[in-house]
Amino acid sequence: MVPLSLPPLTRIPVRWFHTAQCSRLVKSLQKLCSHTHPAPGHNLIKQLSDEGQTELTLTEASRVFESWKNPPPPVYMEYYFFNVTNPEVFLAGGKAAVTQIGPYTYREYRPRENVTFLENGTKVYALNPKSFVFVPEKSRGNPEVDILRTVNIPAVAVMNELNSYSFLLRTFVSMWMNSIGVEIFMTRTVHEVLWGFKDPLLSKIHAMKPEVDEMFGLMWKKNGTDEGEFVFLTGERDYMEYGRIDTWNGLTEMSWWSSNQSNMINGTDGSVFHPLLSRKELLYIFAADLCRSIHLAYVEDVEVKGIPAYRFAPPHDVLQSPKENPTNAGFCVPAGDCLGTGVLKVSVCREGAPIVVSFPHFYQADAMYINAVEGLSPNKEEHETYLDLNPTTGVPIRACKRAQLNIILNRVPGFPKTKHLNVTIFPIMFVNETATIDDDSATQMRTLLLIVTLVSNFPLLIVGMGAILLVVFVLLVCRSRQKKNEVKRIDFTEAFHSFTTAKDDTAYTQVSDKPEVEPSENNHTNQPMRNGSYIAMSPVEAQKC
């Protein structure tokens, strides 16, 4: 028997939700843009210089590396529990009734340790220990005081383990468990159920088998420990490989499931994604606690604090029944032993314990699981898992990761206390991991996106400005020519007018027989003045008939 731990669908720390980190990213893009002239779309990546590519990789030379290595808090884990209100009714064959209590909120820290570069910097090894600190102001109740009645998971796990043994042995163990007061339901504080307590049944087993831990808790030995050894691709060879998992605990694939496809380790750990996301692609995440990879699909465009983002969420087919989605048949172990839609049995990686994971309140699950327990009310707003990612950078802007832990309760021959039980996937608790970019970081991100937009559209801006200048130049040239033509028309008109005036004044003037009279001062004043091109002529007397 090993301690059981909560297997959320994915835990995605917000590694960029901090002003300093966003500031470094802005500076990186500014430096990158100063060395490149990218075109829109994927040409932005294709035209990156070697220095620019370095800024988008997990290498010590990049500014994003420090943010990946030491992610800034806060990320909050909210734990909700289902308190059983009618255990006697359920044990007698009735429907169980539960009430939700919580949240009990903890702040999560997860720096990367033992970071080591491999294979000329194309891969990086790291551990990712997690630690949790209780935040009372964000909680509803005190976990060390609040009492919780829930399923006695160690007892159910022991009964399930003995299901393949002889009836006589099961009967003997049942009598022994009754003698030490072990029941199907237990009453403990929230803190004990979550972080561990010395279980009386496990203590007895530990005395006979020391390898069995006598402590039990959903998060026992999970505070300050890691989820295994990871080797990531740095993205130096291809930006699409940025942050992708190469190996986990030395494995390139798992061996728990019944098909090669189900055993694949795909995607990132959920903390980073490649830049230039597409609405048409599926994003893959490997969840170590789930012992499998899952995929997220595009849902809609959203905006978070003025930052555009694509919302990705697990589609319905992720936990769909193999009858509806044959590719999920590989998650049935042994082959053919399948549950319905919306639930996943993870006993294969939990030492055989009958643990099942789902979305909270069996959201997107078959109605039979929801109706089997009174007090459940699944809805999209409170129980959907989603990621809001900026498509340009691949940075998570907002994240809500929600998953529920359940246990299978059924009849086990030889254990009289189970003889009236109806087969039920019983909800124990669910976790809500949330994070949203803060205001200062949002401002930095908007600045970053503005820089990227200007640089990626630089050729279009140049073409547009050139077209505008060309139009202005043509207009100025046309106007200048128009003015010159107007001046020439004015000069020609004046000259023509002067010529025709002179011709009119002399054509009909007859030559007089009288001698010319010398001009004098008296008649000079009566003479018209010469002005410009107008030619003044001496007046003549009209001839007599």
Side-chain angles (χ1 to χ4, degrees), residues 279 298-312 386-391 395-399 435-439 442-443 445-446 449:
R279 294 182 180 90
Y298 168 81
V299 178
E300 61 181 343
D301 282 26
V302 296
E303 186 175 283
V304 183
K305 297 186 178 182
I307 301 172
Y310 292 168
R311 174 162 293 180
F312 285 85
Y386 65 85
L387 285 175
D388 293 339
L389 307 173
N390 177 256
V395 172
I397 305 300
R398 179 170 55 196
T436 303
I437 190 171
D438 62 87
D439 293 338
T443 301
M445 179 61 71
R446 289 193 294 269
L449 296 177

Side-chain angles (χ1 to χ4, degrees), residues 323-334:
K323 294 181 180 179
E324 302 174 2
N325 182 11
T327 59
N328 284 340
F331 295 110
C332 301
V333 179

Side-chain angles (χ1 to χ4, degrees), residues 80-109:
Y80 296 82
F81 290 86
F82 295 102
N83 186 55
V84 183
T85 59
N86 64 342
E88 297 82 7
V89 173
F90 178 73
L91 292 175
K95 180 188 291 189
V98 298
T99 57
Q100 178 179 297
I101 62 174
Y104 301 93
T105 305
Y106 294 80
R107 186 171 177 173
E108 181 182 356
Y109 299 85

